[in-house]
């Protein structure tokens, strides 16, 4: 097949996949696997990383399209990545540096230069990885990064693959916002609280839930079978942690505030993900 004909065929499959991406109507629980399929088709890569970076702390959570057969190595390389990420804005996933572009490691380093980088020697080469292309989507307080990876010996990502990755970014940005809305709309008030304010104690969640339902302190004391003074103490704690001054502010926070303002979704949604501390597993949020 001629090169142009082969490229046309890839383009046709890519456009068909974009339709499937929208049709899947993913929520935040399922969007990663939809991104995996789309990125693999767009870039002919061997692995895809789907990450969320907390902009305030620099921490991250990442899922991969294929499980690592050596989890201990993955834990070591994940920690090494954090150590060396600041050596270049490409590795550090700086949203301002990326803008709306898809960038490749070959845009900044020759093959010889890459092989000498500490991040290559400690992170990528032990996993037999070389090529990388990344694009980013900025959200409130965090950023989503999509990275395509190729193993040693494979060529650099082409300009056509970069252009498809860049185009895919815009579609994923829209689908992500829709997934965020679907996930939030499906949450009961008490579940929203778990994500909105993860440091609320179970009893504080119960109190906040009844505040949001318009119950008085006396009613809450009766519903929970606790003393009125105890309820008042929990109410003060709820106000402080939600950053509000009164019951109306608390109720509005529960019903109207986006639930992922303190931590990105991957910090509180159920699942097992790699982080600087290694593999972290978050249990499903359940009302108390």
């Amino acid at each position: 097949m001629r090169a142009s004909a082969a490229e046309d065929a890839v383009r046709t499959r890519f456009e068909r996949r974009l339709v499937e991406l929208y049709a899947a109507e993913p929520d935040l629980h399922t969007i990663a696997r939809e991104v995996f399929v789309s990125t693999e088709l767009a870039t002919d890569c061997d692995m895809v990383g789907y990450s969320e970076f907390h902009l305030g702390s620099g921490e991250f959570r990442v899922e991969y399209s294929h499980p690592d057969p050596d989890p201990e190595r993955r834990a070591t390389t994940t920690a090494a990545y954090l150590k060396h990420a600041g050596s270049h804005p490409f590795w550090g996933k700086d949203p301002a540096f990326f803008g709306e572009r898809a960038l490749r490691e070959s845009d900044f380093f020759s093959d010889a230069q890459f092989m000498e980088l500490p991040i290559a020697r400690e992170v990528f080469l032990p996993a037999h990885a070389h090529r990388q292309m990344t694009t980013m989507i900025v959200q409130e307080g965090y950023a989503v990064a999509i990275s395509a990876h190729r193993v040693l010996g494979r060529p650099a990502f082409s300009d056509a693959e970069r252009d498809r990755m860049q185009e895919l970014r815009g579609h994923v940005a829209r689908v992500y916002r829709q997934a965020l809305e679907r996930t939030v709309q499906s949450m009961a008030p008490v579940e929203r609280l778990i994500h909105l304010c993860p440091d609320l104690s179970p009893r504080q969640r119960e109190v906040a839930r009844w505040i949001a339902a318009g119950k008085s302190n006396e009613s809450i004391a009766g519903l929970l079978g606790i003393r009125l003074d105890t309820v008042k103490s929990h109410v003060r704690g709820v106000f402080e942690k939600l950053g509000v001054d009164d019951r109306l502010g608390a109720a509005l926070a529960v019903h109207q505030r986006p639930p992922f303002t303190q931590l990105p979704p991957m910090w509180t949604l159920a699942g097992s993900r790699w982080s600087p501390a290694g593999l972290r597993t978050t249990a499903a949020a359940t009302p108390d």
Side-chain angles (χ1 to χ4, degrees):
M1 186 182 292
R2 294 180 296 106
S4 59
E7 182 60 32
D8 288 345
V10 172
R11 181 71 202 178
T12 298
R13 292 196 297 273
F14 176 63
E15 291 176 350
R16 186 180 304 124
R17 175 57 199 162
L18 292 178
V19 174
E20 294 170 350
L21 176 63
Y22 284 101
E25 297 188 347
D27 60 11
L28 293 181
H29 300 277
T30 60
I31 192 172
R33 64 172 176 260
E34 296 295 334
V35 170
F36 292 155
V37 174
S38 301
T39 305
E40 288 171 352
L41 194 153
T43 66
D44 187 28
C45 63
D46 299 303
M47 181 177 287
V48 183
Y50 177 90
S51 315
E52 289 178 359
F53 286 80
H54 187 231
L55 301 179
S57 67
E59 286 242 343
F60 63 87
R61 302 287 185 271
V62 57
E63 295 183 21
Y64 294 100
S65 55
H66 303 289
D68 195 316
D70 187 350
E72 187 173 326
R73 178 187 65 190
R74 174 59 57 78
T76 300
T77 57
T78 300
Y81 180 88
L82 184 66
K83 182 173 69 173
H84 297 297
S87 63
H88 192 279
F90 177 76
W91 309 121
K93 303 294 190 292
D94 180 354
F97 178 75
F98 277 84
E100 297 183 357
R101 301 178 295 174
L103 299 176
R104 304 164 288 193
E105 105 289 334
S106 59
D107 294 328
F108 309 103
F109 310 102
S110 68
D111 286 358
Q113 289 171 330
F114 176 84
M115 295 299 176
E116 294 301 317
L117 294 173
I119 198 169
R121 295 198 303 267
E122 296 182 30
V123 179
F124 299 116
L125 298 179
H128 308 292
H130 181 183
R131 306 299 181 183
Q132 185 175 150
M133 179 163 57
T134 300
T135 191
M136 301 196 70
I137 301 162
V138 177
Q139 294 295 121
E140 183 179 349
Y142 65 97
V144 178
I146 304 163
S147 297
H149 300 262
R150 281 179 177 166
V151 298
L152 284 167
R154 294 203 63 196
F157 290 103
S158 68
D159 288 352
E161 289 164 334
R162 177 205 58 202
D163 292 346
R164 281 195 296 272
M165 183 77 156
Q166 205 159 277
E167 182 178 350
L168 176 63
R169 177 204 170 277
H171 292 287
V172 172
R174 285 189 286 274
V175 170
Y176 187 91
R177 288 191 290 270
Q178 293 166 358
L180 185 61
E181 291 173 3
R182 288 188 191 99
T183 304
V184 171
Q185 289 171 1
S186 70
M187 289 179 178
V190 67
E191 187 181 0
R192 289 171 64 95
L193 270 166
I194 292 170
H195 302 288
L196 175 65
C197 197
D199 60 345
L200 284 176
S201 70
R203 184 62 88 184
Q204 286 173 333
R205 286 182 204 147
E206 289 182 299
V207 170
R209 170 182 155 196
W210 289 119
I211 291 173
K215 300 296 184 181
S216 66
N217 288 351
E218 291 77 8
S219 296
I220 295 172
L223 287 164
L224 300 182
I226 58 178
R227 296 173 55 203
L228 179 59
D229 286 346
T230 303
V231 172
K232 291 179 179 178
S233 175
H234 287 314
V235 168
R236 288 193 295 270
V238 168
F239 288 175
E240 180 179 351
K241 290 182 179 180
L242 288 177
V244 299
D245 298 321
D246 52 31
R247 305 175 81 82
L248 176 60
L252 290 175
V254 174
H255 290 296
Q256 297 182 5
R257 190 182 296 175
F260 301 111
T261 54
Q262 289 199 26
L263 293 174
M266 292 173 72
W267 269 247
T268 53
L269 292 179
S272 295
R273 304 172 179 98
W274 292 94
S275 75
L279 189 64
R280 301 178 66 100
T281 299
T282 303
T286 54
D288 295 287

